[in-house]
């Protein structure tokens, strides 16, 4: 039983990110400070390869699970959006999410492919077994693709166009959802 528990823990990248020390898969002090911040709108500006996308990936899993270790979040099932610079970056963002994906979290209709990232029915969507949905959005796609929805939370990876960012933020207004963002200066 102990060996099985250890194996299960090793397979849970999100648990390792939450509980281990930096250098052994755990979050860095800067990542922890970002996650622990009580603000509903959080921004991280940092250099390349310092863990910004991994940090946003953890936020996406926690928010979609409705269970964040440091704050109250919208209950699951919920709808969240992740905005990447353009949809070709969905593959990169998906790869970081895959690194810390908890086991048995995806619905049977959702797949991960290293070439296309997460998809459901051919769309850039993550569907969780708990009913939560994560949709990929682009900071450069047609504005109409960002209109109309009411979402529970949003994540922005790299700077979108100003109009896209404004429309994205508007989707959060009715539910007063949290927004987290990071970019490289």
């Amino acid at each position: 039983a102990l060996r099985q528990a250890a194996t299960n823990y090793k397979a849970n990248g999100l648990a390792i990110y939450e509980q281990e020390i930096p250098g052994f898969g755990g979050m860095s002090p800067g990542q922890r400070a970002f996650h622990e911040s009580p603000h509903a709108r959080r921004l991280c500006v940092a250099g390349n390869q310092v863990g910004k996308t991994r940090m946003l990936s953890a936020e996406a899993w926690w928010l979609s699970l409705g269970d964040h270790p440091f704050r109250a979040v919208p209950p699951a099932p919920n709808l969240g959006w992740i905005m990447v610079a353009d949809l070709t970056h969905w593959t990169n963002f998906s790869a970081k999410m895959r690194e810390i994906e908890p086991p048995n979290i995806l619905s049977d209709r959702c797949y991960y492919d290293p070439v296309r990232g997460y998809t459901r029915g051919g769309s850039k969507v993550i569907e969780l077994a708990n009913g939560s949905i994560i949709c990929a959005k682009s900071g450069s796609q047609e504005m109409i693709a960002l209109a109309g929805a009411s979402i529970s939370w949003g994540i922005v990876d790299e700077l979108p166009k100003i109009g896209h960012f404004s429309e994205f933020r508007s989707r959060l207004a009715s539910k007063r959802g949290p927004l987290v963002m990071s970019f490289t200066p």
Side-chain angles (χ1 to χ4, degrees), residues 72-149:
V73 294
N78 59 50
L79 172 61
W81 284 3
I82 297 174
M83 180 179 276
V84 291
D86 64 60
L87 290 177
T88 61
H89 289 93
W90 179 243
T91 302
N92 297 337
F93 197 94
S94 291
K96 292 296 182 181
M97 288 191 70
R98 183 68 170 187
E99 288 176 9
I100 61 171
E101 176 190 315
N104 306 313
I105 194 173
L106 301 179
S107 81
D108 293 339
R109 299 184 301 185
C110 184
Y111 299 95
Y112 173 78
D113 174 330
V115 175
R116 294 181 300 158
Y118 287 99
T119 59
R120 183 196 71 187
S123 297
K124 294 176 183 340
V125 169
I126 302 173
E127 181 179 4
L128 277 64
N130 70 5
S132 289
I133 302 287
I134 303 171
C135 295
K137 296 294 179 177
S138 167
S140 58
Q141 70 189 107
E142 293 295 323
M143 290 281 286
I144 194 72
L146 302 173

Side-chain angles (χ1 to χ4, degrees), residues 14 18 58-68 73-78 102 104-105 128-130 132 134 153:
L14 188 59
E18 288 176 28
E59 288 286 334
W61 289 129
W62 291 328
L63 289 161
S64 62
L65 289 168
D67 185 24
H68 196 292
V73 294
N78 59 50
N104 306 313
I105 194 173
L128 277 64
N130 70 5
S132 289
I134 303 171
W153 54 269

